[in-house]
């Protein structure tokens, strides 16, 4: 009996020592700052103390004191956004739950006191799950795999959050920049409509000619209203992404224009070499497969049998005498009605599904990267084409028409129409530049293994009506 107690105590001590170094949220933050440094700048942290919160508030005030750059927007979101802090805290909860998986269930102490006439009996039983003790190394391994999975999910969530902030910043700046040109188009259309009205009054314009100018003015007014709303909507989306309160939102300043295009696009081979088996989506699928496989191994035995082992010590008092009984007992659940076949089938199906998800993720990773690089390169080529070809040609045409107007070869309406066409080209150039920066942030996320969809935004841009299409 003493040998059994010593072995049990030794096993419990070894189990305690094996599980005494769990993974914490600080380890997850350190890994995220290391593996996704291009997104976090090593600044991701969970604010627990008043001093940390005050430091975050001071950084937010400093960033809001000047026009906010894209990098500044990322820093502000990481420091100021409650959503970022919430996902970190949620990740901490997931890691703690994973650590709990690696803990042995507490033993059960049972105490009984029974009296029969002059006899008093005190029964004491200390029991624990024998199967749990046998499978503890596997439980600990599952716990570590689940913690690793939670860390990968945290990194992916942060990458997703930062990418959304970058894209919200691009849209807000582009909308603000486009509004300026929408106002110029509206002013030109208003001047044309007023001039056409006066010329009709003196008999130099027909009713149809005036109506054409008036329709264009009406369309330009509608475009201006839509552009103003786009500024508000994109700005508020950025405010939400940055986690600003009302006073901070009032202080938010944005640059007047988007950054210039880079001198050359990223090389396809460089992008392909950067993305490897270390992609987050592949790592996460692999971690899920590991957990499913290990869980199947640990649950297989419990589907057949469950055993509780206990150490008993009973003391009996009778007529002034005292006697003690010692022993041990086993409680075994008999598989009479349920042999666990359904549970085993479910585990097999889950493991098979995890294996196929991993295979699908590995196969789709490079395909997704090629698609995102194609969107990036196409957006770059289009934006550069507008910058180097279309906008300069429109500028040259406008200058030539000014000379023709000064030579009285064309009238004022033709000159105003050419000015509107030039503004429309600049507006489309801004939109093309916006699509490039959206695709650039999406490609950066895809390289690390957190793909984002850029097709919808590009399709939305292609469907916009040119300002000069109505004349």
């Amino acid at each position: 009996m003493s040998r059994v107690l010593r072995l049990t105590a030794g096993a419990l001590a070894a189990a305690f020592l094996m599980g005494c170094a769990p993974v914490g949220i600080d380890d997850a933050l350190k890994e995220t700052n290391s593996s996704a440094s291009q997104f976090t700048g090593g600044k991701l942290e969970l604010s627990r103390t008043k001093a940390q919160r005050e430091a975050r508030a001071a950084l937010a005030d400093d960033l809001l004191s000047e026009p906010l750059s894209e990098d500044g927007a990322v820093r502000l979101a990481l420091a100021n956004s409650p959503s970022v802090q919430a996902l970190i805290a949620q990740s901490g909860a997931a890691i703690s739950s994973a650590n709990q998986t690696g803990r042995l269930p507490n033993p059960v102490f049972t105490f009984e006191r029974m009296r029969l006439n002059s006899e008093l009996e005190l029964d004491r039983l200390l029991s624990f799950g024998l199967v749990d003790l046998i499978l503890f190394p596997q439980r600990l391994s599952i716990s570590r795999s689940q913690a690793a999975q939670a860390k990968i999910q945290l990194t992916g969530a942060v990458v997703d959050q930062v990418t959304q902030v970058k894209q919200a910043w691009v849209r807000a700046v582009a909308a603000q920049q486009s509004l300026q040109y929408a106002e110029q188009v509206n002013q030109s259309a208003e001047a044309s409509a007023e001039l056409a009205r006066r010329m009709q009054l003196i008999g130099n314009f027909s009713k149809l000619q005036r109506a054409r100018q008036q329709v264009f003015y009406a369309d330009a007014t509608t475009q201006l209203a839509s552009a103003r709303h786009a500024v508000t909507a994109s700005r508020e989306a950025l405010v939400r992404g940055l986690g600003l309160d009302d006073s901070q939102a009032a202080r938010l300043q944005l640059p007047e224009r988007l950054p210039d295009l880079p001198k050359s696009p990223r090389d396809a081979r460089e992008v392909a070499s950067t993305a490897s088996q270390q992609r987050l989506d592949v790592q996460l699928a692999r971690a899920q497969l590991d957990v499913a496989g290990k869980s199947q191994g640990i649950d297989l035995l419990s589907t057949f049998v469950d055993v509780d082992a206990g150490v008993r010590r009973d003391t009996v008092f009778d007529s002034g005498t005292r006697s003690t009984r010692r022993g041990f007992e086993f409680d075994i659940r008999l598989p009479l009605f349920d042999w666990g076949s359904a549970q085993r089938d479910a585990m097999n199906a889950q493991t098979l599904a995890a294996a196929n998800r991993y295979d699908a993720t590995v196969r789709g990773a490079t395909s997704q990267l090629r698609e995102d690089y194609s969107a990036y390169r196409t957006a770059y080529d289009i934006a550069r084409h507008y910058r180097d070809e279309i906008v300069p040609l429109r500028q040259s045409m406008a200058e030539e028409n000014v000379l023709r107007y000064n030579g009285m070869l064309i009238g004022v309406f033709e000159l105003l129409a050419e000015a509107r066409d030039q503004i429309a080209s600049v507006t489309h150039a801004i939109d093309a530049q916006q699509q490039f920066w959206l695709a650039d942030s999406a490609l950066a996320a895809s390289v690390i293994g957190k793909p984002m969809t850029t097709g919808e935004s590009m399709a939305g841009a292609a469907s916009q009506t040119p300002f000069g299409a109505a004349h």
Side-chain angles (χ1 to χ4, degrees):
M1 182 63 193
S2 61
R3 179 179 177 82
V4 172
L5 289 175
R6 286 196 299 271
L7 289 174
T8 302
L12 291 174
F16 174 77
L17 292 175
M18 290 175 64
C20 65
V23 176
I25 185 60
D26 291 332
D27 300 312
L29 289 172
K30 183 178 179 180
E31 184 167 321
T32 298
N33 282 322
S34 175
S35 61
S37 58
Q38 67 271 37
F39 289 87
T40 67
K43 303 296 184 181
L44 184 66
E45 65 175 14
L46 177 62
S47 297
R48 301 181 178 91
T49 65
K50 182 180 179 180
Q52 289 176 317
R53 289 190 290 270
E54 290 176 349
R56 287 173 49 207
L59 177 59
D61 291 339
D62 184 55
L63 291 170
L64 289 171
S65 64
E66 57 186 10
L68 192 66
S69 65
E70 185 182 58
D71 290 339
V74 172
R75 292 177 60 199
L76 181 58
L78 294 177
N80 186 76
S81 174
S83 298
V84 174
Q85 292 295 305
L87 69 87
I88 296 174
Q90 188 62 42
S91 178
I95 292 174
S96 297
S97 297
N99 291 334
Q100 183 63 39
T101 304
R103 304 288 176 85
L104 279 174
N106 290 322
V108 178
F109 176 73
T110 303
F111 176 80
E112 294 180 357
R113 183 180 185 276
M114 294 178 290
R115 178 180 290 276
L116 179 62
N117 297 327
S118 62
E119 181 181 286
L120 176 64
E121 182 175 347
L122 303 177
D123 298 339
R124 295 170 291 273
L125 173 67
L126 181 65
S127 61
F128 56 90
L130 186 60
V131 173
D132 291 332
L133 182 60
I134 295 173
L135 297 177
F136 178 75
Q138 290 177 274
R139 292 170 62 95
L140 188 60
S141 179
I142 292 174
S143 171
R144 290 170 177 169
S145 295
Q146 289 176 337
Q149 180 178 326
K151 290 192 291 184
I152 297 170
Q153 289 174 332
L154 171 62
T155 303
V158 170
V159 169
D160 188 43
Q161 189 87 4
V162 169
T163 304
Q164 290 183 32
V165 168
K166 286 183 176 182
Q167 294 190 337
W169 180 90
V170 169
R171 292 188 179 99
V173 176
Q176 181 179 273
Q177 192 175 352
S178 296
L179 176 61
Q180 301 173 5
Y181 292 96
E183 291 172 344
Q184 293 180 27
V185 170
N186 187 70
Q187 292 170 3
S188 173
E190 183 180 13
S192 296
E194 177 62 20
L195 182 58
R197 184 187 68 82
R198 294 183 181 183
M199 292 187 71
Q200 185 191 18
L201 289 176
I202 63 176
N204 290 336
F205 246 35
S206 67
K207 185 176 181 180
L208 177 60
Q209 289 173 311
R210 179 196 170 184
R212 286 173 178 168
Q213 299 301 323
Q214 192 67 33
V215 165
F216 180 74
Y217 175 45
D219 288 341
T221 301
T222 303
Q223 296 267 1
L224 178 60
S226 298
R228 286 172 175 166
H229 172 69
V231 169
T232 301
S234 59
R235 181 183 176 89
E236 293 304 325
L238 178 60
V239 166
R240 292 191 294 272
L242 298 175
L244 304 181
D245 57 30
D246 291 343
S247 62
Q248 290 175 322
R251 297 169 52 201
L252 176 62
Q253 307 172 64
L254 295 174
E256 295 182 355
R257 57 192 303 273
L258 290 170
D260 294 332
L261 295 176
K263 293 182 179 179
S264 60
R266 297 181 62 177
D267 184 68
R269 288 173 295 183
E270 175 208 347
V271 171
S273 63
T274 304
S276 62
Q277 289 295 316
Q278 297 305 310
R279 284 172 53 106
L280 292 177
D281 49 359
V282 175
Q283 290 185 55
L284 182 58
R286 181 65 197 179
Q288 292 172 342
L289 177 58
D290 289 342
V291 171
K294 292 174 181 177
S295 297
Q296 182 177 13
I298 194 173
D299 292 336
L300 185 61
L301 180 60
S302 62
T303 61
F304 287 101
V305 67
D306 191 11
V307 180
D308 288 336
V311 180
R312 175 175 292 280
R313 179 184 174 92
D314 300 335
T315 304
V316 179
F317 299 91
D318 186 14
S319 301
T321 63
R322 170 179 174 176
S323 60
T324 302
R325 297 194 300 264
R326 298 181 180 85
F328 60 91
E329 66 180 45
F330 292 98
D331 295 332
I332 302 176
R333 182 172 299 170
L334 300 177
L336 297 180
F337 308 110
D338 181 9
W339 285 85
S341 58
Q343 296 182 49
R344 290 189 293 276
D345 290 343
M347 288 187 296
N348 291 334
Q350 290 171 357
T351 303
L352 183 60
N356 281 283
R357 277 196 301 268
Y358 173 73
D359 192 24
T361 302
V362 171
R363 294 184 183 188
T366 54
S367 174
Q368 181 67 54
L369 186 61
R370 287 193 298 268
E371 179 184 348
D372 290 339
Y373 183 80
S374 176
Y376 164 84
R377 186 56 192 265
T378 301
Y380 178 83
D381 291 340
I382 292 174
R384 186 176 60 180
H385 183 66
Y386 268 100
R387 182 195 67 185
D388 297 343
E389 298 291 338
I390 297 178
V391 172
L393 285 173
R394 281 293 185 185
Q395 178 66 29
S396 177
M397 292 170 64
E399 293 172 354
E400 184 64 25
N401 277 316
V402 169
L403 295 176
R404 296 178 67 196
Y405 174 76
N406 291 334
M408 303 183 67
L409 299 176
I410 61 172
V412 64
F413 289 101
E414 289 82 0
L415 185 63
L416 290 174
E418 180 59 40
R420 290 194 295 265
D421 287 342
Q422 182 187 6
I423 293 172
S425 297
V426 173
T427 302
H428 289 311
I430 294 172
D431 185 71
Q433 194 175 9
Q434 171 188 248
Q435 295 308 315
F436 166 74
W437 288 114
L438 292 177
D440 179 74
S441 60
L443 179 63
S446 185
V447 167
I448 199 173
K450 190 65 178 178
M452 298 192 68
T453 301
T454 58
E456 292 182 0
S457 60
M458 295 185 71
S463 65
Q464 292 180 354
T465 303
F467 285 119
H471 73 81

